[in-house]
Amino acid sequence: MSRQQATPETRSVRLLKVGEQVRHVISELLTRQMVHDEVLSAHSVSVTEVRMSPDLRHATVFVKPLLGSDEEVVLKALRTNTAFFQKEVAGKLRLKYAARIKFLPDESFDEASRIDALLADPRVVRDLDEE
């Protein structure tokens, strides 16, 4: 049997699948409050996206606390408990390497709000209404 060649498309699908699996594991840990941290227990945290490196050794996890409140405090608590998350993800996914996890704030909601504000500008609305 011949081995299929890995194309950029198949690699990216693999990265997306593994990233989604990591996102589900971390979300489940946070939802079930399996992390013994007062800050994380007191806040609802959304894991919006996980981006994996091509070698699957690094995972960048984008998070957003509910309503964006206490973002820095929540990020600090997540970063403090990174070893716990890495251990749990490695145990549940059984990949060749345990991914090193890095937590970052998700800025996409702020960017979407900025774009909405630009589109609501009277000069832009005037130009769009002429059609």
Side-chain angles (χ1 to χ4, degrees), residues 6-7 25 28 39-40 58 61 64 70 72-73 80 87 95 107 110 117 129:
T7 63
V25 170
E28 183 179 341
V39 173
L40 295 177
H58 301 278
V61 180
K64 188 76 169 176
D70 300 329
E72 288 302 318
V73 175
T80 302
K87 179 181 158 236
L95 297 171
E107 305 289 333
D110 299 332
D129 285 342

Side-chain angles (χ1 to χ4, degrees), residues 4-131:
Q4 288 185 342
Q5 294 290 347
T7 63
E9 291 83 14
T10 57
R11 280 195 301 259
S12 65
V13 170
R14 171 112 170 105
L15 294 177
L16 291 172
K17 283 182 179 179
V18 173
E20 192 63 17
Q21 290 174 337
V22 171
R23 188 181 74 79
H24 280 283
V25 170
I26 293 174
S27 294
E28 183 179 341
L29 293 171
L30 290 169
T31 302
R32 295 185 180 200
Q33 296 185 352
M34 296 177 77
V35 185
H36 301 294
D37 189 290
E38 292 176 11
V39 173
L40 295 177
S41 296
H43 291 84
S44 293
V45 180
S46 295
V47 180
T48 56
E49 183 183 2
V50 175
R51 292 184 191 159
M52 300 299 297
S53 65
D55 61 0
L56 300 176
R57 290 187 185 209
H58 301 278
T60 304
V61 180
F62 293 94
V63 295
K64 188 76 169 176
L66 188 63
L67 302 175
S69 62
D70 300 329
E71 189 171 278
E72 288 302 318
V73 175
V74 170
L75 277 172
K76 183 178 180 187
L78 287 168
R79 290 173 180 157
T80 302
N81 293 292
T82 299
F84 172 78
F85 286 110
Q86 288 176 178
K87 179 181 158 236
E88 291 295 318
V89 167
K92 293 195 184 210
L93 296 187
R94 298 177 191 256
L95 297 171
K96 186 174 182 179
Y97 301 102
R100 292 186 49 86
I101 295 175
K102 180 168 84 174
F103 291 100
L104 293 177
D106 188 357
E107 305 289 333
S108 63
F109 296 108
D110 299 332
E111 186 65 19
S113 296
R114 189 182 73 77
I115 291 170
D116 283 342
L118 287 173
L119 291 174
D121 186 291
R123 294 172 293 183
V124 174
V125 171
R126 179 192 66 214
D127 291 343
L128 293 175
D129 285 342
E130 288 180 2
E131 294 176 7

